[in-house]
Amino acid sequence: MKKVLVLEDEENIRSFVVINLKRAGYEAVEASTGEEALEKLKQNPDVKVALLDIMLPDIDGFEVCRRIRATDNTIGIIMLTARTQEMDKVTGLMTGADDYMTKPFSTAELTARIDALFRRVGGAEAKDNSEVSQPPFLLNTRNRTLEKNGVRIKLTQVEYSIIKLFMDNPSKALSREEILDAVWGKEYLGELKIVDVNIRRLRIKIEDDAQNPTYITTVWGYGYKWGL
């Protein structure tokens, strides 16, 4: 059964989420503190998606996300927050989250977001050891890895999907909507800003100077282009 970590310190909310996940065919691994969540992940290495509340009694959800990403770039992460400030959303994504949802949320939408992440993190791999070479980058589509000048760059599954989309469409201007549909899915109900923040995160990882990008360039008022 597909496992989801649910980190939420409010028991009534956590129970509500867990019940609905079980109805949708998922097995929930519950935690009420950040430290407990990290320990549960060690005990359950087959967890593929984590729901992380931001406000916790010990360490916050951002720190939990950072610690997870320090050792695991494959797990899907959705941040849960009761706050609506833009900075919370941006901070969550910049620390390595794939998506965010603001409370209160519908369980149908939450399940749809989890379904989409599971498809991405457990997606079918290429049958052969296919490589896409666009110096200084080498993309291995079987292992879902990226190298720059022979050095491996750690990517989340979302970041990998964006890079593959760019490398499949060199020099083509891609709109934010095109990127959102291709990477998050046409049924995704979130905001376009998730594209912009992930591009920011990618630039930090792959550009020589993230403030003056040469690989992922901005097409003002439209989207982005793989600028090799």
Side-chain angles (χ1 to χ4, degrees):
M1 186 176 286
K2 297 180 290 187
K3 284 187 180 181
V4 178
L5 173 72
V6 181
L7 170 55
E8 168 61 66
D9 65 321
E10 294 187 43
E11 187 175 357
N12 59 331
I13 296 176
R14 188 174 70 251
S15 298
F16 179 69
V17 170
V18 167
I19 288 171
N20 282 277
L21 285 179
K22 288 180 178 177
R23 287 174 179 166
Y26 292 102
E27 178 182 345
V29 177
E30 301 181 53
S32 59
T33 69
E35 294 291 355
E36 182 185 10
L38 293 169
E39 186 59 35
K40 288 287 182 71
L41 280 176
K42 291 179 184 177
Q43 297 168 4
N44 297 272
D46 52 343
V47 167
K48 297 297 184 184
V49 172
L51 308 180
L52 308 180
D53 188 31
I54 290 178
M55 300 298 291
L56 297 168
D58 53 353
I59 55 177
D60 63 28
F62 300 136
E63 179 60 22
V64 176
C65 185
R66 288 188 194 96
R67 293 192 193 180
I68 292 174
R69 283 291 180 239
T71 58
D72 189 343
N73 282 293
T74 61
I75 190 171
I77 297 177
I78 301 176
M79 304 297 293
L80 304 178
T81 175
R83 298 177 293 183
T84 57
Q85 288 98 324
E86 291 299 303
M87 190 51 63
D88 281 347
K89 299 172 183 178
V90 172
T91 301
L93 293 171
M94 289 303 290
T95 53
D98 299 295
D99 202 354
Y100 58 82
M101 293 194 68
T102 303
K103 303 176 199 174
F105 48 78
S106 76
T107 53
E109 183 178 351
L110 178 62
T111 302
R113 302 278 188 97
I114 293 172
D115 289 344
L117 265 184
F118 258 98
R119 285 195 296 272
R120 196 151 56 235
V121 302
E125 294 182 339
K127 293 190 184 335
D128 57 354
N129 191 14
S130 178
E131 293 183 341
V132 181
S133 178
Q134 294 177 12
F137 297 102
L138 179 67
L139 187 75
N140 185 310
T141 58
R142 180 176 179 82
N143 298 329
R144 300 171 72 87
T145 58
L146 179 72
E147 293 181 0
K148 178 183 179 183
N149 293 319
V151 178
R152 178 75 58 86
I153 297 173
K154 290 184 178 180
L155 299 179
T156 67
Q157 294 303 303
V158 165
E159 291 165 349
Y160 167 82
S161 297
I162 294 174
I163 283 290
K164 186 174 186 303
L165 178 64
F166 279 137
M167 293 182 76
D168 285 343
N169 295 276
S171 301
K172 178 185 177 183
L174 298 171
S175 71
R176 289 174 174 82
E177 289 82 2
E178 285 179 281
I179 297 170
L180 191 73
D181 287 350
V183 175
W184 283 267
K186 292 184 180 297
E187 72 283 355
Y188 181 74
L189 301 175
E191 303 169 65
L192 275 175
K193 74 167 65 66
I194 197 170
V195 173
D196 299 320
V197 179
N198 272 277
I199 294 296
R200 278 176 53 190
R201 203 167 71 191
L202 260 177
R203 282 172 168 166
I204 291 171
K205 292 186 176 185
I206 72 167
E207 297 282 355
D208 298 322
D209 180 358
Q211 300 303 314
N212 296 286
T214 57
Y215 302 118
I216 303 176
T217 54
T218 300
V219 181
W220 295 108
Y222 186 73
Y224 301 95
K225 182 176 71 171
W226 185 240
L228 292 174

